[in-house]
């Protein structure tokens, strides 16, 4: 691996030309169960991009990664790397790096021998091996541990060795399947930062599978959110959070207040007798679509007032009762019971705002531009 200059580090991977484009077109994997594990998905991962495949357990993330790696055969569709169809190319000829949850290091080999293994398989010369192993051990901050055996290292350090081994041969892309799943929370956070840095320094395409929304938001340039073998939505973490297209996406990424709607006309919506304004720019689903739709408002976009007269003109409002108050330092979260049927809601308000206690009758309000209308 060639270390980069500062100028190269600030350049995008596309400019440095290091990344590989991974393109999935109408990819299906059917194991003969009631529904395919992966059901007609199309996704283009840009050269040098950090893409996470996020979704609940069983939604098809690992199967998709294994299809890219070539460990599984396609039922239908094509997968290409930099425009070349690799659908029938065996895994070892795709030249991709892999990192799994269980580091699978060779216990009888030293750290340096473990990292050198892929290079020896590729018949790289001795001097070149020594140079590359030293370089990559520096990258993962394990310089000087060359002669240590894996059993002498902590879990986090072993995963660094596995990472070094996965990138030492400069693979076209690195595929990571829940690589931090076995580590405790603090170590996980530290290694997330490390993986981000290594991605920037190496500049190649990373595809990272996780079911943890925070991890996906921390790491990814873009997230592909999986739901039952299909891709629900693809976008930057900010897009998925702020502009969810469906209720599934809104609920999977962060907390929301959700008001399910019947069939209504665009322009305004009615929920339990409250009439609310709609900003057309916030509509992902047309109100009245047969599948139904819902209004989603994030807790940080909600304000709370003592009465309707304190609600600014043009805001959407609904009556609520405070059922609990969570103090979080700079802000507090009010847990609310909303409307006649006691919908559960939350508002995150500045700690400087008025004092609210359990049982208070309040009015929660928000600007029409900070709500989203999504398919439900
Ligand atoms: P995820 O990684 O999102 O947890 P998977 O891709 O592992 O999901 O699995 C998707 C679906 O495919 C699940 O229903 C799972 O049971 C099924 N599946 C995965 N691998 C196999 C297999 N080898 N044989 C049969 N079914 C499988």
């Amino acid at each position: 691996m060639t270390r980069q200059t500062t100028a190269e580090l600030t350049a995008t991977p596309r400019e440095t030309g290091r990344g590989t484009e991974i393109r999935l077109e109408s990819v299906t994997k059917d194991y003969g169960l009631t529904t395919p594990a992966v059901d007609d998905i199309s996704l283009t991962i840009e050269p040098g991009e950090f893409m996470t495949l996020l979704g609940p357990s069983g939604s098809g993330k690992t199967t998709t990664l294994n299809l890219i790696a070539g460990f599984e055969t396609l039922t239908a569709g094509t997968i290409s790397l930099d425009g070349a169809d690799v659908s029938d190319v065996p895994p070892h000829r795709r030249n991709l790096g892999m990192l799994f949850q269980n580091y699978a290091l060779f216990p009888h080999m030293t750290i340096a021998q473990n990292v050198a293994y892929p290079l020896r398989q590729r018949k790289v010369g001795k001097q070149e091996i020594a140079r590359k192993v030293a370089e990559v051990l520096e990258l993962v901050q394990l310089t000087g541990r060359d002669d240590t055996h894996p059993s002498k290292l902590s879990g986090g350090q072993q995963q660094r060795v596995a990472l070094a081994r996965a990138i030492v041969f400069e693979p076209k892309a690195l595929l990571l399947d829940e690589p931090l799943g076995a580590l405790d929370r603090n170590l996980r956070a530290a290694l997330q930062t490390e993986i981000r840095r290594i991605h920037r320094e190496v500049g190649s395409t990373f595809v990272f599978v996780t079911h943890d929304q925070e991890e996906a938001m921390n790491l990814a340039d873009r997230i592909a959110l999986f739901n039952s073998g299909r891709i629900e939505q693809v976008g930057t973490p900010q897009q998925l959070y702020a502009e969810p297209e469906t209720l599934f996406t809104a609920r999977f990424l962060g907390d929301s207040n959700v008001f399910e709607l019947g069939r209504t006309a665009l322009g305004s919506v009615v929920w339990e007798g409250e009439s609310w304004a709609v900003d057309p720019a916030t509509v992902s689903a047309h109100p009245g679509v047969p599948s139904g739709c819902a209004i989603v408002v994030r807790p940080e976009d909600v304000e709370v007032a003592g009465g309707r007269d304190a609600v600014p003109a043009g805001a959407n409002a609904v009556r609520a009762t405070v059922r609990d108050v969570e103090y979080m330092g700079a802000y507090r979260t009010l847990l609310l019971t909303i409307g006649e049927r006691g919908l559960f809601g939350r508002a995150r308000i500045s700690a400087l705002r008025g004092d609210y206690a359990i049982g208070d009758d309040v009015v929660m309000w928000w600007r029409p531009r900070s709500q989203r209308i999504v398919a439900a």
Side-chain angles (χ1 to χ4, degrees):
M1 169 163 330
T2 327
R3 292 304 288 273
Q4 292 162 268
T5 63
T6 314
E8 279 178 305
L9 283 176
T10 53
T12 66
R14 192 190 273 284
E15 285 162 352
T16 60
R18 278 196 190 77
T20 297
E21 182 200 76
I22 303 172
R23 187 184 288 255
L24 285 72
E25 283 170 288
S26 305
V27 163
T28 294
K29 178 66 186 182
D30 194 342
Y31 289 109
L33 308 172
T34 42
T35 55
V38 174
D39 193 0
D40 191 23
I41 66 169
S42 295
L43 178 68
T44 300
I45 304 170
E46 303 289 338
E49 187 170 35
F50 198 130
M51 174 72 84
T52 65
L53 312 184
L54 174 67
S57 176
S59 58
K61 309 178 298 288
T62 293
T63 303
T64 300
L65 202 73
N66 287 340
L67 288 167
I68 296 172
F71 298 146
E72 294 282 1
T73 55
L74 292 159
T75 305
T78 56
I79 293 178
S80 54
L81 300 177
D82 277 341
D85 186 346
V86 296
S87 305
D88 297 318
V89 175
H92 66 277
R93 303 251 327 274
R94 296 190 189 189
N95 211 32
L96 301 169
M98 292 289 299
L99 189 63
F100 302 97
Q101 182 168 325
N102 54 337
Y103 350 107
L105 298 173
F106 302 112
H108 58 286
M109 289 188 195
T110 65
I111 300 313
Q113 287 167 342
N114 265 283
V115 175
Y117 185 80
L119 298 174
R120 285 210 307 275
Q121 275 188 317
R122 288 169 173 78
K123 312 263 183 268
V124 175
K126 252 189 166 168
Q127 279 190 332
E128 182 71 356
I129 290 184
R131 190 180 65 75
K132 288 197 164 182
V133 168
E135 221 170 64
V136 84
L137 284 180
E138 190 192 334
L139 188 68
V140 300
Q141 300 182 332
L142 282 173
T143 299
R145 307 301 296 269
D146 305 48
D147 298 328
T148 314
H149 279 79
S151 61
K152 296 282 190 311
L153 299 181
S154 69
Q157 287 171 326
Q158 290 189 43
Q159 197 57 310
R160 285 169 197 262
V161 176
L163 177 59
R165 189 179 59 180
I167 57 179
V168 71
F169 60 98
E170 296 177 44
K172 279 180 175 290
L174 181 62
L175 310 181
L176 309 99
D177 192 356
E178 303 254 3
L180 311 180
L183 307 175
D184 73 43
R185 204 182 156 78
N186 289 343
L187 202 51
R188 250 179 116 115
L191 268 166
Q192 281 170 15
T193 309
E194 283 289 282
I195 288 177
R196 264 312 287 185
R197 175 182 61 78
I198 289 165
H199 172 254
R200 276 199 306 275
E201 292 199 21
V202 174
S204 72
T205 311
F206 279 31
V207 188
F208 189 110
V209 164
T210 181
H211 64 272
D212 180 333
Q213 40 132 324
E214 260 182 57
E215 184 163 274
M217 303 259 268
N218 275 347
L219 286 170
D221 294 324
R222 282 195 304 159
I223 295 172
L225 180 61
F226 279 66
N227 179 12
S228 306
R230 291 177 166 270
I231 294 179
E232 187 84 6
Q233 192 171 343
V234 185
T236 64
Q238 293 84 341
Q239 279 169 343
L240 263 64
Y241 184 80
E243 297 161 29
E245 287 167 4
T246 65
L247 195 49
F248 180 86
T249 304
R251 285 205 162 119
F252 205 84
L253 292 139
D255 293 323
S256 325
N257 295 285
V258 176
F259 304 95
E260 305 224 17
L261 302 172
R263 289 170 142 274
T264 41
L266 192 60
S268 79
V269 294
V270 178
W271 186 85
E272 284 199 8
E274 300 281 357
S275 186
W276 293 333
V278 172
D279 179 340
T282 63
V283 181
S284 296
H286 194 293
V289 290
S291 61
C293 57
I295 286 193
V296 171
V297 195
R298 297 294 186 186
E300 62 271 25
D301 293 326
V302 172
E303 290 289 347
V304 170
R308 291 211 183 242
D309 47 352
V311 175
N316 291 339
V318 65
R319 198 174 53 74
T321 306
V322 178
R323 52 187 251 164
D324 210 346
V325 185
E326 292 174 350
Y327 290 94
M328 316 289 282
Y331 61 87
R332 73 187 92 159
T333 302
L334 300 184
L335 304 184
L336 301 162
T337 307
I338 308 166
E340 287 153 23
R341 277 178 292 163
L343 182 73
F344 183 78
R346 46 177 92 222
R348 176 186 284 195
I349 61 171
S350 162
L352 304 172
R353 294 290 165 90
D355 239 345
Y356 294 100
I358 296 171
D360 281 358
D361 286 325
V362 296
V363 175
M364 62 186 279
W365 62 268
W366 61 91
R367 300 282 178 190
R369 66 166 185 275
S370 51
Q371 73 193 12
R372 297 288 308 175
I373 299 195
V374 300

